[in-house]
């Protein structure tokens, strides 16, 4: 592959990123507002997870700010720390409930890092309006999406999202802080160089609190911008400037990939969602019930088939366990935080059903990845009948969107154990209020900054 760099190519990206009057279509602003609220619901739901508590305490203790101008408030906590630490803690928290949005071609997640970064940056911009915040967030999503696609296209390893969403975080800050193109170029180069090129399949095989690397992506992205502002230099970002990725960036500002981001129905690895949709179809359309099942056969794509095969002992393992997720959906009819934490990990009926599930790779589904997350499921019942879902794709993306009523229900399911009904309703209302011309973004921050309503 060519390694020739193209500065004019970067300059076109910089013009988009740094435009103070950037025009974002109304439908894109409405979509990004929905993604923002959905992500914050996941953040709230994850506030009481052990990993969220560890991350926030760590940020307060080891990411102290020297002055107020360098500090940010931890969401759903209220304490303050340095801006990069605040973004790291929230992104780590969100990543570990695994219910946040994603974009298929990147094989990963954008908002998990960019939403925490937006709030961390915004504390130093009290006059930022809701529409300005949504515009900046939409811009960051577009940069991160293309950086992710470019990185996957030019390296052989399957890396986590933090490797590339760090560039979107740096771009988001450069836009809000009205930086120059030279600062942006150094920041993106530093972010790409230091982005966590961590091995995703290693985490899949051994699920831990590391998840998809987005916490480090947020930390690296903000740190890279602040370093560049102080004169620190970085090698140009090849995912932006290499000639052989020019086609990935040429439609920036014209094709809004945000409209193709998916919203997850469940806080489970997206690779499991095709099979989960197959089971949901059987439950809804053919009346399948857990008690009837003698055996459940799942055919799916290679990455899905590689998910954690054993009965999970931790929340991290549960979110990367295809069999456990399928059993939980069959037993409970849904999957919420309570099903992948605490006593939910020890449900005897889920364990019984888990033992009756077999998974295999199906080449035709693997061939459709990453464009889709396809699977098919066959249930063999105790009376000998066979119920088959047929080929199904994961729900929540443009090919099978979730109605807004379902997204609202998800918000309640994610955050209902930590936020009052009134606070959840106010958070949902922000989806529209942020679009009002003069509303300050700080009003939303004031809603999500206080600790959970426990």
């Amino acid at each position: 592959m060519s390694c020739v760099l193209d500065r004019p190519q970067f300059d076109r990206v910089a013009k988009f990123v740094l435009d103070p009057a950037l025009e974002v279509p109304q439908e894109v602003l409405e979509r990004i507002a929905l993604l923002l609220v959905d992500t914050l619901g996941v953040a709230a739901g994850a506030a009481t997870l052990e990993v969220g508590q560890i991350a926030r305490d760590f940020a307060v203790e080891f990411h102290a700010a020297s002055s107020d101008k360098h500090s940010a408030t931890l969401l759903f906590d209220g304490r303050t720390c340095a801006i990069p630490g605040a973004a790291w803690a929230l992104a780590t928290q969100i990543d570990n409930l695994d219910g946040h949005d994603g974009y298929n071609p990147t094989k990963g997640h954008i908002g998990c890092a960019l939403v925490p970064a937006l709030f961390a940056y915004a504390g130093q911009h009290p006059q930022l309006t809701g529409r300005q915040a949504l515009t900046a967030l939409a811009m960051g999503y577009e940069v991160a999406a293309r950086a992710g696609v470019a990185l996957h296209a030019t390296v052989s390893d399957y890396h986590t999202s933090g490797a590339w969403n760090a560039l979107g975080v740096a771009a988001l800050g450069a836009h809000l802080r009205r930086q120059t193109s030279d600062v942006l170029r150094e920041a993106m180069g530093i972010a790409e160089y230091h982005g966590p090129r961590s091995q995703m399949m290693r985490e899949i095989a051994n699920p831990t609190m590391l998840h998809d690397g987005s916490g480090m992506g947020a930390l690296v992205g903000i740190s890279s911008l602040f370093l560049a502002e102080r004169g620190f230099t970085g090698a140009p970002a090849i995912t932006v400037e290499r000639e052989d990725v020019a086609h990935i960036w040429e439609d920036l500002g014209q094709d809004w990939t945000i409209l193709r981001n998916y919203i997850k129905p469940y806080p489970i690895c997206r690779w499991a969602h095709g099979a989960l949709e197959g089971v949901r179809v059987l439950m809804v359309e053919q009346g399948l019930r857990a008690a009837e099942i003698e055996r459940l056969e799942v055919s799916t794509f290679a990455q899905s088939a590689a998910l954690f095969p054993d009965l999970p002992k931790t929340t991290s393992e549960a979110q990367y366990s295809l069999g456990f997720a399928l059993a939980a959906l069959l037993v409970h009819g849904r999957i919420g935080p309570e099903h992948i934490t605490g006593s939910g990990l020890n449900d005897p009926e889920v364990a019984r059903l888990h033992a009756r599930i077999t998974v295999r790779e199906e080449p035709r589904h693997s061939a459709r990845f990453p464009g889709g997350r396809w699977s098919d499921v066959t249930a063999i019942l105790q009376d000998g009948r066979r119920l088959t879902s047929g080929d199904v794709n994961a729900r929540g993306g443009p090919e099978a969107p979730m109605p807004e009523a379902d997204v609202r229900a998800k918000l309640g399911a994610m955050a209902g154990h930590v936020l009052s009904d009134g606070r959840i309703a106010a958070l949902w209302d922000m989806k529209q209020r942020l679009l009002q011309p003069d509303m300050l973004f700080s009003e939303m921050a004031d809603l999500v900054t206080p600790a959970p309503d426990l």
Side-chain angles (χ1 to χ4, degrees), residues 40-376:
L40 289 171
V42 177
T48 56
L49 293 180
E50 179 187 15
V51 63
Q53 295 167 345
I54 292 172
R56 297 194 307 276
D57 289 346
F58 186 91
V60 170
E61 293 173 13
F62 296 101
H63 289 275
S66 62
S67 67
D68 288 345
K69 72 177 183 177
H70 297 141
S71 71
T73 304
L74 291 165
L75 268 60
F76 303 109
D77 185 287
R79 293 176 290 173
T80 60
C81 65
I83 293 171
W88 171 81
L90 186 62
T92 299
Q93 181 170 311
I94 295 168
D95 213 3
N96 274 269
L97 188 52
D98 213 347
H100 44 284
D101 64 62
Y103 180 51
N104 280 347
T106 67
K107 308 178 188 177
H109 309 279
I110 300 171
C112 185
L114 267 72
V115 168
L118 173 62
F119 281 91
Y121 287 130
Q124 300 302 318
H125 301 275
Q127 297 308 308
L128 183 71
T129 67
R131 288 186 74 91
Q132 288 171 334
L134 293 177
T135 296
L137 188 58
M139 177 279 300
Y141 261 69
E142 294 302 319
V143 169
R146 288 166 175 82
V149 172
L151 192 56
H152 280 295
T154 53
V155 299
S156 59
D157 59 314
Y158 194 147
H159 42 74
T160 59
S161 296
W164 47 265
N165 60 28
L167 278 76
V169 168
L172 173 63
H175 177 92
L176 291 172
R177 294 164 71 87
R178 299 291 187 261
Q179 276 303 336
T180 66
S181 61
D182 286 342
V183 167
L184 174 66
R185 192 179 192 221
E186 302 299 339
M188 295 182 85
I190 299 166
E192 183 186 82
Y193 194 85
H194 286 309
R197 193 74 69 82
S198 33
Q199 303 92 359
M200 187 72 248
M201 298 311 294
R202 179 173 152 197
E203 172 68 4
I204 293 298
N206 301 278
T208 69
M209 295 176 180
L210 293 171
H211 269 255
D212 201 26
S214 290
M216 292 306 294
L219 177 70
V220 167
I222 294 179
S223 300
S224 298
L225 175 64
F226 290 174
L227 284 167
E229 289 177 348
R230 287 155 178 76
F232 198 96
T233 58
I238 59 176
T239 53
V240 180
E241 299 192 33
R242 264 173 55 159
E243 286 187 340
D244 57 351
V245 301
H247 65 285
I248 296 171
W249 296 91
E250 63 186 7
D251 59 0
L252 187 65
Q254 301 169 26
D255 176 32
W256 294 87
T257 64
I258 291 164
L259 298 175
R260 299 191 293 280
N261 270 246
Y262 59 76
I263 293 177
K264 285 186 177 181
Y266 318 107
I268 298 292
C269 175
R270 185 62 171 176
W271 295 351
H273 281 229
L276 285 167
E277 180 62 7
V279 164
R280 190 191 74 85
V281 167
L282 291 180
M283 294 172 71
V284 171
E285 297 182 2
Q286 301 190 47
L288 177 64
R289 295 294 177 262
E292 302 175 300
I293 295 175
E294 178 66 28
R295 204 165 67 252
L296 193 75
E297 298 175 348
V298 178
S299 300
T300 188
F301 54 99
Q303 289 79 3
S304 177
L307 287 169
F308 187 70
D310 300 327
L311 199 61
K313 296 182 177 66
T314 67
T315 295
S316 296
E317 290 177 348
Q319 292 175 99
Y320 283 127
S321 173
L322 176 57
F324 181 84
L326 293 169
L329 181 61
L330 280 161
V331 170
H332 302 294
R334 62 186 189 87
I335 307 175
E338 69 273 23
H339 302 128
I340 56 175
T341 59
S343 61
L345 296 171
N346 301 306
D347 188 303
E349 182 61 13
V350 172
R352 182 194 70 80
L353 200 55
H354 178 274
R356 296 171 180 265
I357 297 173
T358 59
V359 178
R360 71 172 185 87
E361 180 195 353
E362 170 50 57
R364 73 175 182 279
H365 298 325
S366 294
R368 293 162 157 172
F369 181 83
R373 307 291 189 268
W374 290 84
S375 300
D376 67 272

Side-chain angles (χ1 to χ4, degrees), residues 379-391:
I380 296 89
L381 307 188
Q382 292 172 355
D383 63 8
R385 286 182 297 147
R386 297 173 65 92
L387 305 181
T388 302
S389 68
D391 290 4

